[in-house]
Amino acid sequence: DSTKNISFSVPSEIESDSLSIKLKLFPSPLSSLNEALAQLIRQPYGCFEQTSSTVYPMIMARQYLSLQSNPNNELIQKADKFIDEGYKKLIGFEVTGGGYEWFGEQPAHEALTSYGLLEFLDMKNIYPVDEKMLERTKLWLLSRKSDPTKDFKLDLKNLDQFGGAPKPTTNAYIIWSLTYSGIREGLDKQIEQLISDAMTTTDSYILALAASTCYNIGRNDTGRILVKRLLKYQQEDGSFTNAVTSITSSRSSSLIIETTSIAIIALLNEYEKFTAECFTTVQWIASQSKLGR
């Protein structure tokens, strides 16, 4: 056993008997992570992006909670309630003709719709998502591709930095989301252009998206080549650096977290080949949850 003294100052203007202190101890990163997951269970609000920023993390937390040996059923029920509320809000932002926009106004936005497609696909694991809506969303995104330029026609509108990523980043993200949804046909030119760019880029975010895309379509050999290029940017602590930006135009530590999260998705496709790299990456991601946040 051991003891530790903690010193702190109490402002002189505080009234006597009005101060209370709450101490939480986290004996391991996992315990801090569990507390952080509980904090993700919140009521959704706002536009499509704001609602998604609450609902999407909650979807992931809900899946993790249900896998625990001793699940917190009360917390799971709370998450289910809020996910139901969030889903009903999100589909209200669908634009007539397909696609999504922050407030459901014309025209729909390609990057935001791609983000929403990924969100709805992951939501399907725990919630009955409308298949017809998913099909409309995929078809609308496909309708935005430009075969002559081997990319996508993009609405330049952005809000709170979302949607303002460079065109190569946005194109890679759209292709990744469509292939994640099971689309294979009709994207040949866009996929080949993405792979060609990924073979020379030093942008680790695009590299991770391209590698994941290859695994999505069963081109594991190409995916493996891109993962090996991606690993050049893995640091000793497991994080991935050297990204220009992300789909949300992140910078600094947020960009490193986003890039590392996309990278582990690619790596996990061949966990047996990249076991050590996966382990350090997951450890680093878990370490970013501190003091229950």
Side-chain angles (χ1 to χ4, degrees):
D1 294 340
S2 63
T3 61
K4 184 174 183 178
N5 294 323
I6 301 175
S7 300
F8 55 91
S9 300
V10 178
S12 57
E13 62 270 18
I14 287 184
E15 294 289 335
S16 178
D17 300 325
S18 68
L19 180 66
S20 64
I21 297 174
K22 185 177 182 179
L23 176 65
K24 282 191 175 183
L25 300 176
F26 299 102
S28 69
L30 182 60
S31 62
S32 178
L33 179 61
N34 285 333
E35 177 73 14
L37 288 171
Q39 300 300 318
L40 293 177
I41 312 303
R42 297 178 294 148
Q43 187 165 27
Y45 68 93
C47 66
F48 188 93
E49 183 185 350
Q50 289 172 319
T51 301
S52 294
S53 69
T54 301
V55 173
Y56 207 165
M58 190 157 44
I59 291 167
M60 299 304 183
R62 168 63 174 80
Q63 293 184 70
Y64 177 80
L65 289 169
S66 64
L67 294 174
Q68 291 184 321
S69 57
N70 186 26
N72 185 330
N73 291 322
E74 183 179 349
L75 195 58
I76 287 174
Q77 289 174 4
K78 184 179 179 181
D80 288 343
K81 176 179 179 294
F82 287 153
I83 289 170
D84 178 65
E85 289 182 19
Y87 174 74
K88 290 172 181 175
K89 284 182 64 66
L90 289 169
I91 59 175
F93 297 117
E94 185 179 11
V95 175
T96 302
Y100 285 86
E101 195 267 352
W102 283 269
F103 302 99
E105 299 173 356
Q106 293 278 7
H109 194 275
E110 296 79 11
L112 194 70
T113 301
S114 297
Y115 181 85
L117 177 59
L118 290 166
E119 180 178 12
F120 290 130
L121 289 168
D122 285 330
M123 189 186 290
K124 274 181 62 177
N125 295 321
I126 56 169
Y127 186 89
V129 175
D130 183 359
E131 291 290 345
K132 291 182 179 179
M133 179 276 291
L134 283 175
E135 192 63 24
R136 285 195 305 272
T137 303
K138 289 187 277 188
L139 289 175
W140 182 82
L141 277 173
L142 278 172
S143 75
R144 301 298 295 162
K145 69 187 179 72
S146 172
D147 285 340
T149 53
K150 303 178 182 179
D151 55 13
F152 288 83
K153 294 171 278 190
L154 302 177
D155 180 3
L156 299 180
K157 177 170 52 179
N158 64 82
L159 189 66
D160 296 329
Q161 295 188 318
F162 195 112
K167 195 166 187 177
T169 303
T170 304
N171 282 318
Y173 192 87
I174 295 172
I175 295 167
W176 176 53
S177 69
L178 281 169
T179 55
Y180 183 76
S181 76
I183 297 291
R184 300 290 183 272
E185 298 179 359
L187 284 174
D188 294 347
K189 293 182 179 180
Q190 286 72 23
I191 290 172
E192 291 306 322
Q193 186 62 54
L194 173 60
I195 292 172
S196 175
D197 293 343
M199 289 297 182
T200 57
T201 188
T202 58
D203 186 336
S204 57
Y205 187 84
I206 290 179
L207 258 174
L209 290 173
S212 291
T213 295
C214 288
Y215 286 116
N216 286 345
I217 61 176
R219 292 179 58 172
N220 292 6
D221 289 345
T222 306
R224 199 172 303 124
I225 292 170
L226 294 178
V227 163
K228 289 177 179 177
R229 294 201 71 239
L230 176 63
L231 288 172
K232 295 178 182 178
Y233 306 108
Q234 185 178 33
Q235 306 305 302
E236 288 186 10
D237 62 6
S239 65
F240 284 79
T241 59
N242 218 59
V244 174
T245 189
S246 70
I247 195 65
T248 57
S249 301
S250 293
R251 294 288 187 271
S252 304
S253 59
S254 295
L255 178 57
I256 296 175
I257 291 172
E258 282 191 54
T259 303
T260 305
S261 299
I262 299 292
I264 191 60
I265 291 173
L267 288 169
L268 286 172
N269 283 281
E270 295 196 77
Y271 173 77
E272 296 81 5
K273 293 182 182 295
F274 304 110
T275 303
E277 292 85 353
C278 286
F279 182 75
T280 54
T281 302
V282 170
Q283 274 196 320
W284 183 84
I285 292 173
S287 73
Q288 299 311 293
S289 172
K290 297 175 181 177
L291 303 178
R293 297 179 181 273

